């Protein structure tokens, strides 16, 4: 794919319809059905890099570019307000999905030192990617749960050590 850098700081890129891969086109048509064409595609996220890719052939490309920058600069409450004020705007909903995917990518990078194992105790990135694509917040929740379990185990260990202590 041939991408055009739009905003390096926010990792926003642009591409033309001719640059889209067959997989992206099929994913889009499976998600929205035959009622929408590829020209309706506003933006997408490249999951492994966190890139936001805007469709430069979309009729609202200029507006989408400004909305993407404003959405990424806003905090969580401002983003929710933007979505509430424009409930029919599919681009803002798409941007929220992209932000969630970026957060999941960030959580995946943080937890990369913690091994998710298969039956052979080998790290299984395929499983991790599948979990995160189904629910971007799943990996973060698993990390938090593991952290809580570790704290509980540490407290139990200290409590057991204190009971054995003659003091």
């Amino acid at each position: 794919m041939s991408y055009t850098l739009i905003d390096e700081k926010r990792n926003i890129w642009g591409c033309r319809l001719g640059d889209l891969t067959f997989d992206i086109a099929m994913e889009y048509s499976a998600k929205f059905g035959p009622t929408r064409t590829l020209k309706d595609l506003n933006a997408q996220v490249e999951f492994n890099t966190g890139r936001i890719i805007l469709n430069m052939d979309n009729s609202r490309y200029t507006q989408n570019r400004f909305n993407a920058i404003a959405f990424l600069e806003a905090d969580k409450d401002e983003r929710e307000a933007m979505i509430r004020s424009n409930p029919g705007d599919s681009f803002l909903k798409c941007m929220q999905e992209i932000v969630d995917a970026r957060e999941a990518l960030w959580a995946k990078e943080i937890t990369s030192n913690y091994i998710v194992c298969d039956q052979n105790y080998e790290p299984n990135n395929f499983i991790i990617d599948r979990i995160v694509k189904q629910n971007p917040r799943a990996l973060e929740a698993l990390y938090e749960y593991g952290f809580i379990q570790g704290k509980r185990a540490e407290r139990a260990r200290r409590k057991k050590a204190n009971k054995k202590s003659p003091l």
Side-chain angles (χ1 to χ4, degrees), residues 64-143:
N64 288 343
R65 188 179 68 203
F66 291 122
N67 285 345
I69 292 170
F71 196 83
L72 293 175
E73 289 293 313
D75 64 8
K76 186 177 180 180
D77 294 332
E78 291 170 341
R79 289 177 184 156
E80 289 173 0
M82 288 171 77
I83 292 172
R84 276 194 311 269
S85 66
N86 298 315
D89 192 350
S90 63
F91 180 73
L92 293 178
K93 291 176 184 173
C94 178
M95 284 302 299
Q96 184 59 50
E97 291 175 8
I98 289 171
V99 168
D100 291 343
R102 279 185 169 184
E103 288 176 1
L105 182 63
W106 175 77
K108 183 179 175 185
E109 287 174 10
I110 287 177
T111 59
S112 64
N113 295 329
Y114 301 96
I115 300 173
V116 174
C117 299
D118 60 8
Q119 293 175 347
N120 299 326
Y121 299 101
E122 297 280 330
N124 195 335
N125 290 326
F126 175 75
I127 291 174
I128 295 171
D129 290 341
R130 192 148 186 213
I131 289 171
V132 172
K133 280 186 179 180
Q134 288 176 355
N135 181 0
R137 303 236 183 241
L139 193 61
E140 186 176 343
L142 288 172
Y143 174 77

Side-chain angles (χ1 to χ4, degrees), residues 4 11 23 26 35 40 47 67 75 93 98 138-139 141 160:
T4 304
N11 202 12
D23 293 336
M26 292 304 293
T35 59
D40 296 330
F47 189 76
N67 285 345
D75 64 8
K93 291 176 184 173
I98 289 171
L139 193 61
K160 188 176 179 182

